[in-house]
Amino acid sequence: MHLKLIASVPSKRWDPCRELSADGRGGWVFSQVNVDRLISDYDDYYMLFGLGVLAANAMPNDYVEQTKLIARMGNDVVGTDVLTWKHPNSMWGIHDGDAIFEWAQLIALDPERDGMISVSIDAKIKSQDDWLPVDGNAYCRITRSSECKVEARFVPSFWFTIKNTFRKPFWPNGTES
């Protein structure tokens, strides 16, 4: 069996700082356009990756037991995470002997500088005795920003955002009665 990374989507950062959330998508929102992430500090920094892997020559009743992420800046390991999947899982949407499995995994990072972070992926598949490396890496590039003010700022709740998004289609003239 051969595993190949076919999708990697690093999330946008969660940060209550308006300067870092100026694009209007703040929070754990997946970005579709770039890997650049502004962060407020190097301590307690987390990155959420949405990942998709193609499993070539998959077996119909097989499933993922665990996935492991290892983040590196150059040769330095800056974070690791192992995610245990519910057993058995319906990861296989098998077609012509191949399957694709997708998931989101959070990894805590401890970088010491700005720069590119590469994330290697391994998967423990039920039918295999050892971890299988996934061909391909996920990437993100971080830059510490000094723009963020220390004081807390208001960030609209999820409900407020949804309510405003759908208000016009459901209420005449965009107002509630």
Side-chain angles (χ1 to χ4, degrees), residues 52-67:
V53 170
L54 171 68
N57 301 318
M59 295 174 19
N61 294 323
D62 215 352
Y63 59 87
V64 175
E65 291 184 330
Q66 294 180 309
T67 50

Side-chain angles (χ1 to χ4, degrees), residues 2-54:
H2 179 255
L3 303 179
K4 180 179 180 180
L5 183 65
I6 58 172
S8 164
V9 184
S11 75
K12 294 299 277 185
R13 72 271 158 208
W14 170 256
D15 206 312
C17 175
R18 289 188 193 272
E19 287 83 0
L20 297 184
S21 299
D23 58 13
R25 293 183 292 175
W28 291 119
V29 179
F30 290 119
S31 167
Q32 299 178 13
V33 293
N34 67 40
V35 296
D36 292 318
R37 298 293 168 261
L38 293 176
I39 61 174
S40 57
D41 200 355
Y42 296 134
D43 297 329
D44 296 324
Y45 180 62
Y46 292 85
M47 180 66 72
L48 181 69
F49 281 91
L51 302 163
V53 170
L54 171 68

Side-chain angles (χ1 to χ4, degrees), residues 72-121:
R72 292 181 175 83
M73 287 188 90
N75 294 326
D76 300 330
V77 173
V78 295
T80 61
D81 186 72
V82 176
L83 177 68
T84 300
W85 291 42
K86 180 181 170 185
H87 300 154
N89 50 66
S90 58
M91 60 153 274
W92 298 126
I94 197 162
H95 182 72
D96 292 336
D98 294 336
I100 295 175
F101 60 101
E102 301 170 314
W103 76 103
Q105 189 165 346
L106 186 69
I107 183 170
L109 302 176
D110 189 23
E112 295 179 357
R113 64 187 184 283
D114 292 353
M116 186 71 76
I117 296 173
S118 67
V119 179
S120 61
I121 306 158

